[in-house]
Amino acid sequence: MKVFSTELKAMFLEAALKAFPELSESELTPLVTVEEPRDSHHGEMACAAPLRLAKKLKLGPEKCAQKIIKSFPHDYRINALEFAAPGYLNVKFSEEFLREGLKSLSGGFSIEGENADTRPIVIDYSSTNAAKHMGAHHILTTIIGDSLANLFDFFGCETVRINHLGDWGTQFGKIIYALREWGDMKEVEKHPNDEFTRLYVKFCNEEEKKPELTEEARKIFKSMEDGHEETLALWKWITEESLKDLNKIFKRLGVEFDYITGESFYLKMAEEVVKDGLKRKILKKGEGGAIIFPMKGDETPALLKKSDGATLYLTRDVATIKYRVETWHPAAILYVVDRAQALHFMQNFAVARALGYAPEDTALEHTAFGRMNFADSAMSTRKGNVIKLNDMLDEAATRAGSMAAGKGTELPREELYKMAEIIGVASIKYAVLSQDRNKDIIFDWDKIITLEGNSAPYLLYSYARAKSIMNKALGAGKSAGDPASGMMSGMPEFSEEAERAMVRKMLKFPEAMHKALIERKPHIIATALYELCQEFNRFYGVVPVLTAGDESAKRTRLGILQAFMHQIKSGLNILGIPVLERM
């Protein structure tokens, strides 16, 4: 299926060019946009061109609308174009388009023709720190990035999924000191990241009492930078054990990476960046011999090398852009990182562009997100009061199991345990992905694990309900589109408005997917899924499926169920949530 809004916009632009020959295509293009009306009773799609043209041409909006209607090309998919104040043209789909759409959707769900650029999309997300357990807040970058990668995959893009592991810095001097002084290797081997985090916190607490420990940690890290073999061997062991622990969390979340590449990988490249920049006089020497990049205007200069000769995180990040462009020649590099890093990425992109490491046709994007807030505590690794992500997932699974048991489930204990884990993890993921990434997230258990409202359990239950009806109608393992079932042979026929409402809602789902891709916002898909489930439950409440009056009605309604299931499954898969066949 194609994204109809793209075709519709082209038709409106064609009509506007005919209706207003005094305006050029470049003038009209930004004025002609297509969107979904706020009130579904007004139609399926709307165009605000009459309102915008009225302001530009000093004509009445309705007069502009009538001229566009008169020039609009005939298309069987459109039943009516209607003017609505203050200046919209509302589009209503034809019955033929609804019937044809259902026929297509019931056979599967995909979106055609939206990937014009065949170059890869590199997505940098999670950016986990080695030698620390993952805090609850780390789930934001991890699952937002993963869902965006899934979305690009769905649209046929080649994606490169990278976890830029934080495996270098002074903190490793602190951890190594603490490990040597207070570490228990048996405990470390049992729970690596918990122990590394405990030791780091202990060092920070001791450091407040004995400031001289700061210098000890610096000496250890300096020995790493100088290539001290014993210290580097211990550092390597720490990062390897840490990564084993982190991979358990990634597996639990259902998140995979093509590459987990440590910051240390770019150390030598960072030195080359500085040499190259100085040679070409793009980088300058600053106070005390530091190396800087002068930002435009009043922006703070970007520091790439300290006066003591050490490169910084920024230097290594510039090197990563150079490496990624040379390795994959991507169309875009997305950094799914907390909005607090806005200045860092502004500097990173400016330096990389100035040095010519990123061509203009490679987009560099900081896909920022807000913070996860907990009303009862602030989070700080230094103070040791971070809520562990693993504990948060355990709590979600426990609550999901209690919810299922409270509803009187007949599932065997083992299956209930597995289902609770899936629902618990899904609930956490959906709680994040259903909210606009630009806003802060307030974590509230009562709104996360519930069969009511905009939640993962509500969506999963809606899918399981549709699957149950389908199984009863056709027998387990079959679908309405299976040739053996004969259920979708011939064109569907509508006899109830609830049927048409379901198909209209499903025909607009690709629009949500496309908008989510363009804006890099998974919550648009989550909202569309929720609204689709609401429509399905209204449909199910008023239209019988198994006891439909005749075979034609039954075939059509089963086709609606089949199309609904395809879309819910596709949308949830993008969000990284597997469907459940029964609940």
XYZ file of all heavy atoms in Angstrom, residues 229-284:
472
model
N 50.761 -2.043 29.924
C 50.132 -3.311 29.530
C 49.268 -3.922 30.632
O 48.153 -4.386 30.373
C 51.213 -4.313 29.099
C 51.860 -3.945 27.773
C 52.825 -5.023 27.297
O 52.869 -6.115 27.921
O 53.530 -4.778 26.299
N 49.773 -3.956 31.847
C 49.014 -4.583 32.947
C 47.704 -3.842 33.211
O 46.645 -4.469 33.381
C 49.871 -4.606 34.217
C 49.174 -5.318 35.383
C 49.989 -5.258 36.671
O 51.202 -4.957 36.613
O 49.403 -5.499 37.743
N 47.796 -2.519 33.251
C 46.590 -1.723 33.503
C 45.597 -1.859 32.346
O 44.395 -1.995 32.562
C 46.953 -0.235 33.697
O 47.999 -0.137 34.651
C 45.745 0.551 34.196
N 46.095 -1.852 31.116
C 45.213 -2.003 29.949
C 44.562 -3.392 29.921
O 43.407 -3.523 29.520
C 45.994 -1.767 28.659
C 46.283 -0.312 28.297
C 47.162 -0.230 27.056
C 44.980 0.471 28.077
N 45.298 -4.401 30.346
C 44.735 -5.755 30.389
C 43.579 -5.821 31.392
O 42.542 -6.459 31.124
C 45.815 -6.767 30.757
N 43.765 -5.162 32.547
C 42.690 -5.131 33.543
C 41.502 -4.338 33.013
O 40.336 -4.741 33.188
C 43.215 -4.508 34.840
C 42.233 -4.468 36.023
C 41.661 -5.849 36.325
C 42.915 -3.874 37.257
N 41.773 -3.205 32.365
C 40.694 -2.405 31.756
C 39.926 -3.225 30.719
O 38.682 -3.203 30.688
C 41.302 -1.158 31.093
C 40.391 -0.490 30.105
C 39.346 0.327 30.366
C 40.463 -0.620 28.683
N 38.739 0.717 29.193
C 39.406 0.157 28.147
C 41.302 -1.310 27.809
C 39.181 0.253 26.770
C 41.080 -1.212 26.439
C 40.034 -0.436 25.934
N 40.645 -3.971 29.900
C 39.992 -4.787 28.867
C 39.101 -5.851 29.501
O 37.983 -6.104 29.042
C 41.053 -5.442 27.976
C 40.461 -6.203 26.797
C 41.556 -6.811 25.917
C 40.931 -7.583 24.766
N 41.968 -8.246 23.917
N 39.598 -6.475 30.568
C 38.808 -7.506 31.254
C 37.534 -6.891 31.835
O 36.449 -7.482 31.729
C 39.646 -8.138 32.355
C 38.890 -9.157 33.169
C 38.653 -10.464 32.841
C 38.233 -8.930 34.425
N 37.890 -11.069 33.827
C 37.622 -10.152 34.805
C 38.111 -7.823 35.260
C 36.905 -10.286 35.986
C 37.398 -7.961 36.440
C 36.806 -9.176 36.798
N 37.659 -5.707 32.437
C 36.491 -5.023 33.011
C 35.439 -4.762 31.940
O 34.248 -5.048 32.129
C 36.921 -3.691 33.678
C 37.713 -3.963 34.954
C 35.698 -2.818 33.997
C 38.387 -2.725 35.538
N 35.858 -4.235 30.783
C 34.892 -3.904 29.723
C 34.254 -5.162 29.143
O 33.060 -5.170 28.824
C 35.557 -3.084 28.607
O 36.691 -3.780 28.092
C 35.997 -1.722 29.114
N 35.020 -6.226 29.009
C 34.466 -7.471 28.458
C 33.428 -8.084 29.389
O 32.362 -8.533 28.951
C 35.591 -8.471 28.184
C 36.449 -8.094 26.974
C 37.641 -9.021 26.781
O 37.925 -9.823 27.713
O 38.285 -8.949 25.722
N 33.759 -8.131 30.706
C 32.815 -8.676 31.680
C 31.558 -7.799 31.753
O 30.438 -8.300 31.865
C 33.466 -8.768 33.060
C 34.551 -9.818 33.168
C 34.025 -11.219 32.865
O 33.038 -11.638 33.490
O 34.601 -11.881 31.974
N 31.771 -6.499 31.671
C 30.649 -5.564 31.708
C 29.717 -5.775 30.529
O 28.488 -5.778 30.667
C 31.179 -4.127 31.713
O 30.115 -3.206 31.605
N 30.299 -5.958 29.345
C 29.491 -6.122 28.140
C 28.676 -7.411 28.178
O 27.523 -7.446 27.717
C 30.388 -6.092 26.901
C 29.681 -6.035 25.542
C 28.718 -4.860 25.482
C 30.711 -5.931 24.414
N 29.252 -8.468 28.752
C 28.484 -9.718 28.909
C 27.218 -9.456 29.718
O 26.136 -9.962 29.414
C 29.333 -10.778 29.611
C 30.462 -11.347 28.778
C 31.275 -12.346 29.605
C 32.518 -12.805 28.867
N 33.344 -13.722 29.716
N 27.379 -8.665 30.788
C 26.248 -8.327 31.659
C 25.224 -7.460 30.911
O 24.012 -7.682 31.002
C 26.772 -7.575 32.883
C 26.073 -8.006 34.171
O 25.357 -9.021 34.141
O 26.250 -7.335 35.190
N 25.714 -6.479 30.172
C 24.820 -5.582 29.428
C 24.025 -6.336 28.364
O 22.845 -6.053 28.133
C 25.631 -4.464 28.760
C 26.273 -3.438 29.697
C 27.208 -2.527 28.915
C 25.204 -2.614 30.403
N 24.666 -7.315 27.747
C 23.976 -8.077 26.691
C 22.768 -8.844 27.218
O 21.818 -9.106 26.472
C 24.956 -9.037 26.007
C 25.833 -8.333 24.984
O 25.417 -7.344 24.378
N 27.042 -8.837 24.775
N 22.798 -9.195 28.492
C 21.633 -9.863 29.092
C 20.428 -8.919 29.120
O 19.293 -9.340 28.880
C 21.964 -10.330 30.516
C 23.026 -11.419 30.573
C 23.391 -11.741 32.023
C 24.530 -12.744 32.104
N 24.931 -13.001 33.517
N 20.685 -7.644 29.420
C 19.610 -6.648 29.427
C 19.099 -6.412 28.015
O 17.889 -6.343 27.779
C 20.105 -5.310 30.024
C 20.538 -5.500 31.473
C 19.015 -4.250 29.923
C 19.416 -5.656 32.444
N 20.017 -6.274 27.058
C 19.600 -6.045 25.675
C 18.739 -7.202 25.165
O 17.742 -6.994 24.476
C 20.823 -5.864 24.771
C 21.652 -4.665 25.099
C 23.038 -4.727 25.086
C 21.057 -3.452 25.442
C 23.812 -3.617 25.398
C 21.819 -2.330 25.758
C 23.200 -2.423 25.736
N 19.124 -8.431 25.539
C 18.343 -9.603 25.126
C 16.950 -9.555 25.741
O 15.950 -9.856 25.086
C 19.066 -10.888 25.537
C 18.357 -12.142 25.062
C 19.168 -13.399 25.418
C 18.447 -14.654 24.912
N 19.212 -15.890 25.246
N 16.878 -9.172 27.000
C 15.575 -9.084 27.679
C 14.679 -8.040 27.028
O 13.465 -8.203 26.933
C 15.794 -8.755 29.159
C 14.550 -8.901 30.001
C 14.859 -8.743 31.473
N 13.663 -8.981 32.261
C 13.571 -8.815 33.571
N 14.626 -8.402 34.256
N 12.423 -9.048 34.208
N 15.291 -6.954 26.568
C 14.538 -5.890 25.897
C 14.236 -6.215 24.438
O 13.469 -5.507 23.793
C 15.327 -4.579 25.957
C 15.460 -3.902 27.322
C 16.438 -2.731 27.230
C 14.098 -3.428 27.826
N 14.860 -7.281 23.909
C 14.672 -7.612 22.503
C 15.371 -6.635 21.582
O 14.921 -6.399 20.448
N 16.484 -6.074 22.045
C 17.230 -5.070 21.280
C 18.549 -5.672 20.811
O 19.283 -6.266 21.600
C 17.499 -3.813 22.139
C 18.426 -2.844 21.423
C 16.186 -3.128 22.493
N 18.845 -5.497 19.520
C 20.098 -5.989 18.963
C 20.829 -4.860 18.247
O 20.209 -3.921 17.752
C 19.841 -7.134 17.972
C 19.238 -8.374 18.608
C 19.034 -9.496 17.604
O 19.324 -9.278 16.406
O 18.588 -10.580 18.014
N 22.150 -4.970 18.201
C 22.989 -3.984 17.510
C 23.819 -4.682 16.447
O 24.197 -5.837 16.610
C 23.917 -3.279 18.505
C 23.211 -2.566 19.616
C 23.023 -3.181 20.848
C 22.709 -1.291 19.438
C 22.358 -2.544 21.877
C 22.047 -0.636 20.468
C 21.870 -1.263 21.684
N 24.102 -3.952 15.380
C 25.036 -4.480 14.388
C 26.468 -4.354 14.895
O 27.307 -5.210 14.600
C 24.885 -3.716 13.062
C 23.502 -3.905 12.456
O 23.056 -5.056 12.354
O 22.868 -2.896 12.095
N 26.714 -3.272 15.635
C 28.057 -3.028 16.168
C 27.954 -2.427 17.565
O 27.170 -1.511 17.786
C 28.845 -2.054 15.269
C 28.986 -2.517 13.839
C 28.077 -2.105 12.867
C 30.024 -3.366 13.464
C 28.197 -2.536 11.556
C 30.149 -3.806 12.149
C 29.231 -3.386 11.204
O 29.340 -3.821 9.907
N 28.748 -2.974 18.484
C 28.959 -2.324 19.778
C 30.422 -1.906 19.780
O 31.315 -2.729 19.970
C 28.629 -3.254 20.958
C 27.153 -3.666 20.917
C 28.941 -2.568 22.277
C 26.711 -4.568 22.060
N 30.648 -0.636 19.490
C 31.998 -0.125 19.283
C 32.347 0.857 20.388
O 31.676 1.872 20.553
C 32.113 0.584 17.920
O 31.605 -0.280 16.899
C 33.557 0.925 17.617
N 33.384 0.560 21.137
C 33.772 1.396 22.252
C 34.377 2.720 21.823
O 34.945 2.848 20.723
N 34.287 3.688 22.707
C 34.898 4.993 22.474
C 36.404 4.851 22.247
O 37.011 5.609 21.469
C 34.621 5.884 23.686
C 34.979 7.330 23.521
C 34.724 8.122 24.793
O 33.940 7.650 25.651
O 35.331 9.196 24.922
N 36.990 3.859 22.896
C 38.438 3.642 22.786
C 38.867 3.294 21.361
O 40.025 3.497 20.986
C 38.864 2.513 23.731
O 38.174 1.311 23.412
N 37.948 2.782 20.574
C 38.237 2.409 19.185
C 38.714 3.618 18.375
O 39.447 3.479 17.397
C 36.965 1.803 18.569
C 37.081 1.401 17.126
C 37.749 0.241 16.756
C 36.509 2.180 16.129
C 37.843 -0.134 15.416
C 36.604 1.816 14.787
C 37.273 0.651 14.435
N 38.299 4.819 18.806
C 38.560 6.029 18.016
C 39.713 6.875 18.570
O 39.917 8.005 18.121
C 37.285 6.888 17.959
C 36.116 6.146 17.358
C 35.160 5.531 18.166
C 35.968 6.042 15.982
C 34.104 4.836 17.622
C 34.909 5.345 15.423
C 33.975 4.738 16.249
O 32.934 4.053 15.702
N 40.488 6.349 19.533
C 41.537 7.146 20.167
C 42.588 7.641 19.166
O 42.896 8.832 19.099
C 42.219 6.335 21.280
C 41.377 6.091 22.539
C 42.099 5.135 23.478
C 41.076 7.404 23.233
N 43.139 6.720 18.377
C 44.169 7.112 17.407
C 43.574 8.011 16.324
O 44.224 8.948 15.848
C 44.808 5.872 16.788
C 45.675 5.078 17.762
C 46.324 3.880 17.091
C 47.176 3.105 18.085
N 47.802 1.894 17.463
N 42.345 7.720 15.917
C 41.683 8.543 14.899
C 41.492 9.968 15.402
O 41.594 10.929 14.640
C 40.322 7.944 14.533
C 40.380 6.561 13.918
S 38.715 5.954 13.529
C 38.938 4.195 13.797
N 41.211 10.106 16.706
C 41.012 11.436 17.284
C 42.289 12.263 17.189
O 42.253 13.468 16.902
C 40.561 11.313 18.738
N 43.431 11.621 17.416
C 44.712 12.321 17.286
C 44.928 12.790 15.845
O 45.428 13.893 15.601
C 45.866 11.395 17.710
C 45.884 11.054 19.186
C 46.332 12.219 20.065
O 46.752 13.258 19.515
O 46.247 12.088 21.294
N 44.520 11.953 14.895
C 44.662 12.318 13.484
C 43.757 13.495 13.127
O 44.108 14.329 12.290
C 44.339 11.112 12.601
C 45.350 9.978 12.688
C 46.757 10.428 12.309
O 46.901 11.170 11.313
O 47.700 10.053 13.034
N 42.578 13.540 13.756
C 41.662 14.659 13.528
C 42.326 15.976 13.924
O 42.264 16.966 13.185
C 40.341 14.464 14.329
C 39.549 15.770 14.419
C 39.486 13.376 13.692
N 42.971 15.983 15.085
C 43.637 17.201 15.567
C 44.776 17.598 14.628
O 44.913 18.770 14.239
C 44.159 17.002 17.004
C 44.968 18.213 17.446
C 42.991 16.763 17.957
N 45.592 16.628 14.236
C 46.705 16.924 13.323
C 46.194 17.483 12.003
O 46.750 18.460 11.461
C 47.518 15.653 13.068
C 48.326 15.170 14.263
C 49.064 13.876 13.930
C 49.795 13.333 15.149
N 50.467 12.035 14.844
N 45.148 16.861 11.476
C 44.573 17.296 10.199
C 44.022 18.711 10.301
O 44.256 19.558 9.430
C 43.464 16.315 9.794
C 42.842 16.658 8.453
O 43.569 17.103 7.548
O 41.614 16.484 8.319
N 43.307 18.992 11.389
C 42.707 20.307 11.575
C 43.735 21.409 11.727
O 43.565 22.520 11.207
N 44.825 21.109 12.439
C 45.901 22.089 12.605
C 46.639 22.324 11.285
O 46.975 23.471 10.938
C 46.890 21.614 13.672
C 46.408 21.686 15.128
C 47.408 21.000 16.050
C 46.191 23.138 15.553
N 46.890 21.250 10.564
C 47.608 21.358 9.291
C 46.854 22.246 8.317
O 47.456 23.045 7.585
C 47.803 19.956 8.707
C 48.594 19.936 7.407
C 48.747 18.503 6.908
C 49.518 18.469 5.583
N 49.666 17.080 5.074
N 45.530 22.124 8.316
C 44.714 22.911 7.373
C 44.237 24.230 7.979
O 43.413 24.924 7.399
C 43.517 22.064 6.917
C 43.949 20.898 6.044
C 42.772 20.286 5.326
N 41.980 19.418 6.154
C 40.652 19.275 6.073
N 39.969 20.024 5.236
N 40.021 18.438 6.855
N 44.721 24.516 9.200
C 44.427 25.771 9.901
C 42.928 25.977 10.143
O 42.440 27.098 10.204
C 45.000 26.958 9.116
C 46.514 26.899 8.992
C 47.069 28.114 8.267
C 48.597 28.016 8.181
N 49.176 29.188 7.479
N 42.224 24.864 10.301
C 40.802 24.919 10.672
C 40.686 24.910 12.189
O 39.817 25.562 12.766
C 40.037 23.743 10.031
C 40.018 23.924 8.510
C 38.612 23.645 10.575
C 39.501 22.727 7.748
N 41.579 24.188 12.842
C 41.671 24.217 14.305
C 42.756 25.209 14.699
O 43.725 25.416 13.953
C 41.987 22.828 14.860
C 41.007 21.701 14.504
C 41.434 20.396 15.177
C 39.579 22.058 14.873
N 42.582 25.808 15.875
C 43.510 26.844 16.338
C 44.076 26.482 17.698
O 43.489 25.692 18.453
C 42.786 28.199 16.445
C 41.955 28.584 15.233
C 42.792 28.930 14.033
C 41.906 29.365 12.864
N 42.706 29.627 11.649
